[in-house]
């Protein structure tokens, strides 16, 4: 190194556009959401399954469909350096889960309820509620023909909204997009309808007119709203089994007291769906209003080389749920219950031992690190958000006591024997709420 360059710092780097850091100030809300979600899924018998973030590209092309936004423009695809195999960062979770259950014969003997969570990747234009790396919770009921599991998943999500405290901002829309034969007839009718108004279509829709006209219904272009509104509705053409299935879902939702509307334009953006489709929607996040969406995909196992297997599932966007929780002013504290302040060698030993005992009792305790005057340490105690400062000086160390100073209430400092401090704090938490749970 030469003498002159020693003072110049290399330029700092930034995260990839549309891919966010989630900072400690925001993670308490994420954790509250994740913990609540996992707990609700567990209570319905869903078990966790984890698949890789990278999958062979053909998996997504076959599952999601060639003529979809995701496959045409949004995938992060690259070739493996050595083998040259085309690989893709997963844009959604269902395809990987179905691949894994075929590969490991997971539902050879009986059906299975599974969930997974983690980052998904789509090369979209970043905006509020829409990112290039985002996170999902994903739920799949594999090997169930429904309509009972279809309705159960919606009831489960409605419970989640209640337990998160956001139920009044979210509504349920459902539709049935029928089976293959019904979709074929509907497709012909759609092509006829859109051909008659071809001048009103945008480039994307014109291109899809003959390859995937159903996708036009999913267009987000507002100038297409009218022509889409007038298009023939598949839900009017349902017959026999598919109609009975859709009515079965509705009856079960009604039995559960879950309000819904039928939205005949709801088709979802991925090709694998059939019969039931649903979305939970909010008006509180602007254009990015879908917080969870899913449906039935009875043909996907077959498409991916497995035995024909009925299945139903949904994906839920974590970022949008966190935005909604913030909107609802949900406060989640990550502050410790106590901050331990000490000075001197003997005091340090007692302070550290006491802190360990409190952690054994399940309490969140931060021990001052890096020394500092009592005054400086008390400042850090305050900034930590802790409810109490536990102070150990020479006098306390000699007497085996800890001085407890409430930091958020107008109460005076008291001396408590070190051995009794856990019980003392527990009694206080009982009065002030569930702070040790971090909520
Ligand atoms: P949208 O209509 O908003 O584009 P989508 O139909 O593409 O959503 P799905 O593929 O069904 O979404 O994914 C399920 C959920 O994942 C969505 O309801 C949403 O909450 C979330 N999600 C999808 N894409 C993104 C993204 N780019 N950024 C953040 N969240 C997303
Ligand atoms: Mg999308």
């Amino acid at each position: 190194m030469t003498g002159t360059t020693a003072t110049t710092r290399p330029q700092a780097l930034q995260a990839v556009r549309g891919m966010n850091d989630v900072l400690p100030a925001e993670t308490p809300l994420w954790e509250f959401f994740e913990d609540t979600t996992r707990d609700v899924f567990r209570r319905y018998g869903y078990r966790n399954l984890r698949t890789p973030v990278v999958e062979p590209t053909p998996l997504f092309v076959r599952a999601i469909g060639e003529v979809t936004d995701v496959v045409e423009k949004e995938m992060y695809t690259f070739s493996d350096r050595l083998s040259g195999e085309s690989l893709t960062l997963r844009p959604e979770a269902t395809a990987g889960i179905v691949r894994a259950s075929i590969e490991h014969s997971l539902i050879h003997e009986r059906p299975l309820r599974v969930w997974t969570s983690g980052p998904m990747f789509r090369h979209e234009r970043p905006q509020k509620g829409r990112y290039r790396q985002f996170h999902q919770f994903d739920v799949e009921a594999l090997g169930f023909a429904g309509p009972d599991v279809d309705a159960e998943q919606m009831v489960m999500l409605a419970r989640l909204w209640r337990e998160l405290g956001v139920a009044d901002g979210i509504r349920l829309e459902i539709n049935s997009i029928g089976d293959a034969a019904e979709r074929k007839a509907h497709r012909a009718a759609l092509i006829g309808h859109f051909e008659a108004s071809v001048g009103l279509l945008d480039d994307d829709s014109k291109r899809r007119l003959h390859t995937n006209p159903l996708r036009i219904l999913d267009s987000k272009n507002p100038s297409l709203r009218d022509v889409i509104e007038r298009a023939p509705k598949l839900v009017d053409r349902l017959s026999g089994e598919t109609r009975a299935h859709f009515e079965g879902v509705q009856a079960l939702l009604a039995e559960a007291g879950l309000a819904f509307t039928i939205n005949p334009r709801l088709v979802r953006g991925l090709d694998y769906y059939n019969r039931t489709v649903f979305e939970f929607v909010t008006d509180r996040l602007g254009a990015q209003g879908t917080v969870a969406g899913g449906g039935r995909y009875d043909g996907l196992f077959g498409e991916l080389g497995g035995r024909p297997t009925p299945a139903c599932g949904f994906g839920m966007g974590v970022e949008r749920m966190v935005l909604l929780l913030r909107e609802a002013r949900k406060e989640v504290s990550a502050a410790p219950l106590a901050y331990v302040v000490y000075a001197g060698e003997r005091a340090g030993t007692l302070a550290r031992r006491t802190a360990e005992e409190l952690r054994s009792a399940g309490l969140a305790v931060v021990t001052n690190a890096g020394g500092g005057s009592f005054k400086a340490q008390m400042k850090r105690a305050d900034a930590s958000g802790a409810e109490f400062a536990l102070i150990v000086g020479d006098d306390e160390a000699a007497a085996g006591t800890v001085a407890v100073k409430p930091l958020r209430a107008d109460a005076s400092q008291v001396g408590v024997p070190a051995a009794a401090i856990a019980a003392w704090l527990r009694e206080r938490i009982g009065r002030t709420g569930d702070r040790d749970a971090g909520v």
Side-chain angles (χ1 to χ4, degrees):
M1 196 198 284
T2 64
T4 50
T5 55
T7 53
T8 56
R9 276 201 248 165
Q11 199 178 7
L13 299 173
Q14 290 186 339
V16 175
R17 184 167 135 80
M19 304 200 179
N20 303 313
D21 299 309
V22 184
L23 304 177
E26 307 161 55
T27 47
L29 215 47
W30 281 65
E31 288 181 313
F32 166 69
F33 172 73
E34 290 163 350
D35 292 347
T36 310
T37 301
R38 274 191 292 260
D39 189 51
V40 168
F41 292 173
R42 184 185 56 77
R43 279 182 271 150
Y44 283 81
Y46 281 88
R47 295 167 62 186
N48 188 214
L49 178 150
R50 303 175 188 210
T51 62
V53 168
V54 177
E55 296 275 2
T57 305
L59 174 68
F60 299 116
V61 178
R62 271 157 75 180
I64 298 169
E66 209 130 11
V67 192
T68 55
D69 277 349
V70 173
V71 169
E72 281 182 333
K73 338 181 213 188
E74 298 174 359
M75 295 206 301
Y76 282 89
T77 297
F78 57 96
S79 39
D80 181 89
R81 257 189 219 203
L82 284 181
S83 69
E85 182 186 8
S86 179
L87 303 176
T88 292
L89 297 182
R90 65 178 178 199
E92 60 95 60
T94 307
I97 288 183
V98 172
R99 179 207 42 76
S101 30
I102 296 170
E103 190 169 330
H104 305 286
S105 305
L106 287 186
I107 53 166
H108 189 62
E109 287 177 4
R110 61 188 68 84
L112 184 64
R113 288 172 168 89
V114 291
W115 67 269
T116 200
S117 69
M120 308 292 156
F121 302 85
R122 296 185 194 177
H123 203 283
E124 305 198 69
R125 194 168 68 77
Q127 51 195 295
K128 183 184 172 193
R130 194 176 291 287
Y131 312 102
R132 290 180 174 173
Q133 174 176 308
F134 61 99
H135 298 77
Q136 273 187 358
F137 270 84
D138 188 81
V139 163
E140 312 293 351
L142 308 172
F144 294 90
D148 46 5
V149 281
D150 311 22
E152 186 188 79
Q153 289 183 352
M154 299 179 223
V155 168
M156 178 169 82
L157 278 171
R159 171 184 295 281
L160 178 60
W161 313 145
R162 286 198 303 279
E163 298 195 5
L164 292 170
V166 294
D168 63 350
I170 302 179
R171 62 177 191 280
L172 171 61
E173 296 187 352
I174 64 171
N175 191 21
S176 173
I177 56 170
D179 281 338
E182 288 153 347
R183 272 219 300 288
K184 204 169 160 203
H186 180 237
R187 184 192 146 98
L190 275 183
I191 292 176
H193 168 77
F194 287 120
E195 267 178 344
S197 317
V198 76
L200 299 172
L201 301 184
D202 59 14
D203 287 346
D204 260 352
S205 307
K206 275 184 199 145
R207 206 163 35 77
R208 285 169 183 182
L209 184 49
H210 293 277
T211 50
N212 198 346
L214 201 66
R215 282 283 74 76
I216 302 178
L217 301 179
D218 194 43
S219 166
K220 298 212 166 56
N221 185 345
S223 62
L224 294 187
R225 200 170 297 150
D226 282 349
V227 66
I228 289 173
E229 194 58 44
R230 282 184 277 108
K233 299 169 182 159
L234 206 160
V235 72
D236 295 338
R237 295 171 181 264
L238 299 179
S239 62
E241 257 186 81
T242 32
R243 172 163 301 281
H245 188 110
F246 192 41
E247 281 165 3
V249 171
Q250 294 173 55
L252 288 162
L253 294 177
E255 177 200 274
L258 182 53
F260 62 90
T261 54
I262 297 175
N263 174 358
R265 310 292 159 203
L266 183 62
V267 292
R268 315 278 307 122
L270 317 173
D271 273 359
Y272 50 61
Y273 290 109
N274 70 315
R275 296 200 180 186
T276 316
V277 289
F278 64 93
E279 286 190 352
F280 280 92
V281 192
T282 179
D283 294 323
R284 302 191 176 169
L285 298 179
Q288 273 54 253
T290 306
V291 289
R296 187 154 275 290
Y297 50 94
D298 299 325
L300 186 55
F301 275 78
E303 294 277 328
L304 297 180
R307 274 196 314 192
T309 304
C312 183
F314 65 83
M316 167 170 59
V318 180
E319 282 81 357
R320 291 185 195 178
M321 286 309 302
V322 169
L323 282 168
L324 202 56
L325 286 167
R326 202 173 297 146
E327 189 83 7
R329 306 208 167 279
K330 180 82 198 172
E331 297 269 352
V332 181
S333 169
L337 178 67
Y339 189 101
V340 182
V341 161
Y342 68 92
E345 211 169 297
R346 273 182 76 192
T349 302
L350 180 60
R352 284 184 290 271
R353 202 182 65 216
T354 305
E356 284 303 323
E357 281 166 7
L358 295 179
R359 291 165 191 144
S360 295
L363 303 173
V365 178
V366 172
T367 307
N368 185 71
S373 67
F374 264 123
K375 198 173 160 208
Q377 292 190 43
M378 287 304 288
K379 264 194 169 168
R380 289 179 208 149
D382 191 46
S384 76
E387 200 77 21
F388 302 97
L390 306 182
I391 306 165
V392 191
D394 287 339
D395 294 350
E396 285 81 11
T401 61
V402 173
V404 185
K405 184 174 168 50
L407 295 172
R408 315 289 152 200
D410 199 12
S412 48
Q413 184 170 316
V414 286
V416 179
I421 193 88
W424 191 95
L425 286 171
R426 277 225 171 274
E427 199 190 317
R428 285 349 178 248
I429 306 167
R431 280 189 225 145
T432 56
D434 207 13
R435 283 193 66 95
D436 60 330
V439 176

